[in-house]
Amino acid sequence: DIQMTQSPSSLSASVGDRVTITCRASQTISTYLNWYQQTPGKAPKLLIYAASNLQSGVPSRFSGSGSGTDFTLTISSLQPEDFATYYCQQGDSPPFTFGPGTKVDVK
Amino acid sequence: EVQLVESGGGLVQPGGSLRLSCAASGFTFSSYEMNWVRQAPGKGLAWVSYIHSSGTTIYYADSVKGRFTISRDNAKSSLYLQMNSLTAEDTGVYYCARKQWLGPGADYWGQGILVTVSS
């Protein structure tokens, strides 16, 4: 099975900050990597699919990059509504594992 | 508007069974692959199961294999998860999620349904 790790597990940031979250797969997954945002009590929301494709309706301050085993989610200028937990997920082969999540909170 | 609405959750004793349903609307359900994803209280997301649009290909997480059964009724635009031999570790919110038409992501999610396994 493919294991997914994320770093950091949490970070504190301010509005306007540039935020970068990394995700690593235990084996190559090409670009079969998704990023989701989840706020408390809500369902996850797809932000980025296939490593670098912005899901429709998602603000352009979100971007994704990477291929193979190493991936990055970047928020170029953090907004108040972006304080949330972010998960990566591999879609290469079952089980379609999620990373443990990165919580972004207020500094 | 795409909608996914889960039902069938609740409190069940260890060793018991539950059947979750997910009613889909606003899209051609029979054309889309679907997933179940769960989240234990205070924990991260965990993928549970996948089913192809035709129902011919199915996958499970190791933690539920042999106990859970995913199925779908395309005529009723509904997805199901039959859960047997439940344990406390199965407690959590269960989401049905639609896989993108072109892409590996899950682009629409239900609101989630709580399953509590406790005596």
Side-chain angles (χ1 to χ4, degrees):
Chain A
D1 295 356
I2 299 172
Q3 310 302 318
M4 306 300 293
T5 58
Q6 287 182 235
S7 62
S9 57
S10 65
L11 66 91
S12 297
S14 301
V15 171
D17 284 353
R18 182 181 182 88
V19 169
T20 299
I21 299 168
T22 62
C23 175
R24 176 165 289 175
S26 61
Q27 62 191 72
T28 184
I29 57 171
S30 184
T31 57
Y32 293 102
L33 191 282
N34 310 307
W35 289 99
Y36 300 90
Q37 176 194 64
Q38 188 182 33
T39 53
K42 300 288 190 179
K45 174 186 176 182
L46 179 64
L47 299 176
I48 302 287
Y49 65 93
S52 61
N53 295 274
L54 193 68
Q55 173 66 0
S56 176
V58 174
S60 59
R61 63 180 179 273
F62 291 93
S63 64
S65 64
S67 66
T69 60
D70 294 315
F71 303 88
T72 300
L73 174 71
T74 300
I75 310 171
S76 60
S77 178
L78 196 69
Q79 297 302 300
E81 59 268 31
D82 300 337
F83 292 103
T85 300
Y86 294 85
Y87 296 92
C88 61
Q89 182 204 24
Q90 65 88 8
D92 178 76
S93 59
F96 300 116
T97 39
F98 286 88
T102 296
K103 185 175 182 179
V104 178
D105 62 19
V106 179
K107 181 183 283 185
Chain B
E1 179 193 5
V2 172
Q3 282 199 312
L4 297 169
V5 180
E6 300 96 340
S7 61
L11 175 64
V12 61
Q13 291 190 337
S17 298
L18 273 179
R19 189 195 195 205
L20 303 184
S21 299
C22 172
S25 60
F27 65 102
T28 305
F29 179 74
S30 59
S31 297
Y32 284 84
E33 300 159 55
M34 299 293 295
N35 290 275
W36 287 100
V37 175
R38 69 183 180 183
Q39 187 168 35
K43 302 297 184 181
L45 300 172
W47 173 81
V48 173
S49 186
Y50 157 96
I51 186 167
H52 188 266
S53 54
S54 65
T56 54
T57 300
I58 285 172
Y59 303 117
Y60 297 102
D62 286 346
S63 58
V64 308
K65 203 172 295 182
R67 300 187 301 122
F68 289 13
T69 302
I70 191 172
S71 62
R72 64 191 296 159
D73 186 334
N74 287 341
K76 294 183 177 179
S77 295
S78 292
L79 177 72
Y80 306 102
L81 187 68
Q82 177 67 43
M83 304 186 296
N84 298 332
S85 303
L86 287 162
T87 73
E89 286 66 45
D90 296 315
T91 293
V93 175
Y94 285 71
Y95 297 98
C96 65
R98 187 185 85 167
K99 184 183 174 296
Q100 292 173 291
W101 175 247
L102 290 174
D107 58 355
Y108 284 92
W109 296 64
Q111 83 286 356
I113 191 80
L114 179 62
V115 171
T116 304
V117 184
S118 175
S119 55

